[in-house]
């Protein structure tokens, strides 16, 4: 097992709601610095997996570790960006960005002077290219700009991992592509570890250095009868080449081939691969199956 991969570890994790299994024996290791994207059919449990990593919920069974430590309740080591609604409408861009520091949320930040907080916040605004909009209010910004502020709000806390759940889902297609390029650039500059959930397959394949497919459409030794209470597993795991710094790669043959393959493997309820046949191609991917699941 690759030691460096043990930055984020999800070990034999199950999550059920009222007896219904949603996540079914998930194993995952993610390296520091990886840009890991997650796709899967609606309702398969992507947000649930993200909430387990944030610590907003506990696994029914199994364990989630970040940097070797079991994940507790949400804290600033795990920054999170949602589709919308993370900005306070009555605060300026600068005040929204500096909020975490002003609330003393980063160890040591309770001793920072207001000038130090302002300077650090302006540095972040430079990085997210909003310095000249520091005094504006959220309603004066475009949707893409608002999401950049939300990213800035998380970044200022220097989180170990940035967790994003459909962060560009509410943006129009052109802004969305701009934001994808922006995020890749930021990830490269800041060497962040990103875990990014989306149901847009093209977005996932374009952004990630690694793409996970979470799906409930597979078969295993537990059979396929009606009584089987089966949840989603990681059914494929692809290392991805970093593309050029524009979106033209989305038209390439390899890209379209990958998308077509994943649409079939992960999103077609009638195409059921056996758990032994999953495309776990990333060097850090692994899977532990129970005896029942392993049976052919
Ligand atoms: N707090 C909860 N209580 C009960 N059931 C829940 C809860 N949260 C999620 N679920 C159920 O778990 C399943 C997975 O939900 P989740 O939101 O993780 O899916 P998702 O993959 O993020 O879907 P989408 O692509 O639509 O965002 C769904 O069937 C959902 O109804
Ligand atoms: Mg979701």
């Amino acid at each position: 097992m690759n030691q460096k991969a043990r930055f984020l570890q999800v070990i034999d994790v199950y999550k059920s709601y009222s007896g219904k299994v949603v996540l079914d024996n998930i194993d995952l290791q993610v390296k520091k610095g990886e840009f890991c994207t997650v796709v899967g059919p609606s309702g398969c449990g992507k947000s649930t997996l993200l909430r387990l990593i944030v610590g907003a919920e506990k696994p029914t069974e199994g364990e989630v570790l970040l940097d070797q430590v079991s994940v507790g309740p949400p804290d600033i080591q795990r920054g999170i960006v949602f589709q919308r609604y993370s900005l306070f409408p009555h605060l300026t861009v600068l005040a929204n960005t500096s909020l975490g520091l002003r609330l003393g949320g980063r160890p040591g930040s309770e001793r920072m002077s207001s000038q130090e907080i302002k300077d650090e916040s302006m540095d972040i605004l430079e990085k997210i290219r909003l310095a000249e909009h520091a005094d504006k209010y959220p309603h004066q910004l475009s949707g893409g700009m608002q999401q950049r502020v939300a990213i800035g709000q998380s970044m200022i806390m220097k989180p170990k991992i940035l967790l994003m759940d459909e962060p560009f889902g509410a943006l129009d297609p052109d802004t969305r592509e701009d934001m994808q390029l922006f995020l890749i650039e930021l990830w490269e500059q800041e060497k962040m570890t990103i875990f990014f959930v989306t149901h847009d397959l093209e977005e996932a394949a374009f952004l990630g250095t690694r793409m996970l497919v979470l799906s409930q459409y597979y078969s295993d030794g537990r059979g396929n009868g009606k009584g089987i209470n089966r949840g989603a597993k990681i059914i494929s795991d692809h290392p991805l080449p970093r593309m050029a710094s524009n979106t033209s790669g989305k038209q390439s043959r390899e890209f379209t081939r990958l998308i077509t393959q994943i649409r079939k493997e992960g999103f077609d309820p009638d195409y059921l691969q056996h758990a032994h046949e999953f495309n776990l191609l990333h060097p850090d991917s692994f899977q532990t199956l129970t005896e029942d699941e392993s049976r052919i």
Side-chain angles (χ1 to χ4, degrees), residues 82-84 141-148 151 166-180 182 196 200 203:
F82 294 107
Q83 189 166 344
R84 46 168 69 166
L141 305 178
S142 69
M145 289 156 98
Q146 291 186 23
Q147 282 310 78
R148 282 183 355 234
I151 294 170
E166 304 275 1
F168 308 150
L171 305 176
D172 64 71
D174 285 348
T175 311
R176 191 169 185 148
E177 287 214 322
D178 288 346
M179 286 298 286
Q180 291 170 356
F182 164 78
F196 186 107
D200 184 330
E203 180 167 84

Side-chain angles (χ1 to χ4, degrees), residues 41-48 51 165-166 197-199:
S42 182
C44 72
K46 300 178 294 297
S47 298
T48 302
R51 286 199 301 272
D165 195 349
E166 304 275 1
V197 165
T198 176
H199 61 249

Side-chain angles (χ1 to χ4, degrees), residues 2-295:
N2 184 347
Q3 289 293 326
K4 279 196 188 148
R6 295 190 176 172
F7 185 59
L8 169 66
Q9 291 177 274
V10 176
I11 305 165
D12 295 333
V13 159
Y14 293 82
K15 181 69 186 175
S16 311
Y17 292 109
S18 324
K20 183 184 179 313
V21 183
V22 173
L23 297 178
D24 206 330
N25 199 357
I26 304 279
D27 296 299
L28 174 64
Q29 305 222 20
V30 178
K31 265 198 216 65
K32 200 171 183 168
E34 190 101 68
F35 194 146
C36 188
T37 56
V38 184
V39 283
S42 182
C44 72
K46 300 178 294 297
S47 298
T48 302
L49 179 59
L50 188 122
R51 286 199 301 272
L52 294 178
I53 298 171
V54 175
E57 288 190 56
K58 281 191 181 160
T60 309
E61 274 180 60
E63 205 178 7
V64 179
L65 305 173
L66 185 65
D67 222 357
Q68 324 291 330
V69 180
S70 187
V71 160
D75 76 16
I76 54 156
Q77 298 198 325
R78 285 154 277 139
I80 183 152
V81 178
F82 294 107
Q83 189 166 344
R84 46 168 69 166
Y85 306 127
S86 57
L87 304 189
F88 289 93
H90 60 290
L91 297 179
T92 62
V93 166
L94 179 65
N96 263 297
T97 308
S98 62
L99 195 64
L101 292 183
R102 288 190 287 122
L103 298 176
R106 201 175 75 203
S109 66
E110 64 283 355
R111 290 187 302 278
M112 288 173 81
S113 69
S114 40
Q115 188 59 47
E116 284 168 332
I117 290 178
K118 185 173 178 197
D119 291 347
E120 201 172 311
S121 306
M122 286 308 295
D123 282 349
I124 294 279
L125 289 180
E126 293 283 348
K127 283 182 184 157
I128 58 172
R129 293 189 235 128
L130 286 175
E132 70 271 36
H133 302 285
D135 296 326
K136 289 196 175 144
Y137 288 87
H139 76 270
Q140 296 171 298
L141 305 178
S142 69
M145 289 156 98
Q146 291 186 23
Q147 282 310 78
R148 282 183 355 234
V149 180
I151 294 170
Q153 263 182 341
S154 284
M155 277 174 66
I156 204 160
M157 306 313 284
K158 303 197 171 139
K160 287 187 173 174
I161 185 164
L162 188 60
L163 297 148
M164 309 181 93
D165 195 349
E166 304 275 1
F168 308 150
L171 305 176
D172 64 71
D174 285 348
T175 311
R176 191 169 185 148
E177 287 214 322
D178 288 346
M179 286 298 286
Q180 291 170 356
L181 294 170
F182 164 78
L183 187 61
I184 290 175
E185 238 176 69
L186 197 65
W187 167 81
E188 276 172 350
Q189 278 165 17
E190 302 298 313
K191 313 210 178 324
M192 292 189 280
T193 308
I194 299 184
F195 194 81
F196 186 107
V197 165
T198 176
H199 61 249
D200 184 330
L201 243 167
E202 289 196 356
E203 180 167 84
F206 178 66
L207 284 178
T209 52
R210 172 178 185 181
M211 175 167 55
L212 307 171
V213 185
L214 193 67
S215 176
Q216 64 278 48
Y217 305 137
Y218 61 90
S219 69
D220 60 16
R222 295 177 290 182
N224 286 318
K226 271 212 159 120
I228 302 297
N229 182 9
R230 201 196 310 277
K233 280 185 186 299
I234 293 169
I235 63 121
S236 68
D237 185 352
H238 295 260
L240 299 169
R242 170 54 58 228
M243 287 198 205
S245 56
N246 61 60
T247 50
S248 61
K250 289 186 186 180
Q251 267 76 51
S252 78
R253 190 176 295 174
E254 300 90 285
F255 192 83
T256 3
R257 197 180 298 140
L258 181 65
I259 302 274
T260 312
Q261 183 193 342
I262 289 180
R263 195 158 278 139
K264 184 167 85 177
E265 288 174 358
F267 290 75
D268 180 353
D270 297 323
Y271 184 82
L272 302 176
Q273 269 180 309
H274 191 279
H276 284 310
E277 291 160 4
F278 292 164
N279 268 324
L280 303 177
L281 303 175
H282 192 281
D284 298 331
S285 64
F286 70 107
Q287 185 180 223
T288 51
L289 294 175
T290 62
E291 254 177 48
D292 277 352
E293 289 165 341
S294 289
R295 258 187 281 125

